[in-house]
Amino acid sequence: MTPLGSVAAPSDSRLYQLFVLLHVICVVGGFGAIVYRSFVLDLARRRGFAAAAGVLAVFGQVVQVGEFLLYGAGVFGIAAAATGGSGTSFSRPWVSAALAVFVVMVGVLHGLVGPAERRYKAALLELAQAPAMAPPGRPPQLA
């Protein structure tokens, strides 16, 4: 264990560096896809129901790629911690905290965000297929 105030040097192995690089790429792509989700859903809502159907079809493919990248971030992060030196061992508190945050994030993604998005997508597609309604007529009090 290193004394307080000093930082253990990370491993210089090529395998460790490869896992860290893949971990960072997956983190940026995965979290970018999560942020992109909110923009796409807002765009679909603003464009109207017919345009939303097309936007949401593409959106589903992007979301799948983002979820795979998030899983890759966890896998490559664990692999980097396993191949790293003493500064990245599983006994370090920040490694355990990062793993806990990852597990909570995946749980929220699958438990809350995913089902809400599926319901939203189903409602928008149902509204896109509904026939257009005529504008309301004059109220009987004003006729």
Side-chain angles (χ1 to χ4, degrees):
M1 189 138 183
T2 60
L4 193 61
S6 66
V7 177
S11 174
D12 288 330
S13 75
R14 294 272 187 210
L15 187 61
Y16 171 76
Q17 292 175 353
L18 175 67
F19 285 145
V20 169
L21 175 67
L22 292 172
H23 172 71
V24 170
I25 289 171
C26 288
V27 165
V28 170
F31 282 108
I34 288 176
V35 172
Y36 180 69
R37 285 176 167 184
S38 63
F39 292 133
V40 169
L41 289 175
D42 188 52
L43 174 68
R45 183 183 56 80
R46 290 183 186 194
R47 297 289 173 141
F49 300 126
V55 169
L56 290 174
V58 174
F59 169 74
Q61 296 169 355
V62 172
V63 167
Q64 287 177 344
V65 171
E67 286 180 5
F68 284 124
L69 287 174
L70 283 177
Y71 292 132
V75 169
F76 291 127
I78 290 171
T83 59
S86 63
T88 58
S89 70
F90 287 103
S91 64
R92 303 290 290 196
W94 67 268
V95 175
S96 300
L99 189 57
V101 167
F102 174 75
V103 168
V104 168
M105 179 191 66
V106 168
V108 167
L109 178 69
H110 286 291
L112 297 174
V113 175
E117 284 180 352
R118 284 190 291 276
R119 286 190 306 269
Y120 184 75
K121 182 178 176 182
L124 276 180
L125 292 175
E126 184 179 322
L127 287 172
Q129 294 172 355
M133 295 176 53
R138 294 186 68 147
Q141 300 90 341
L142 299 176

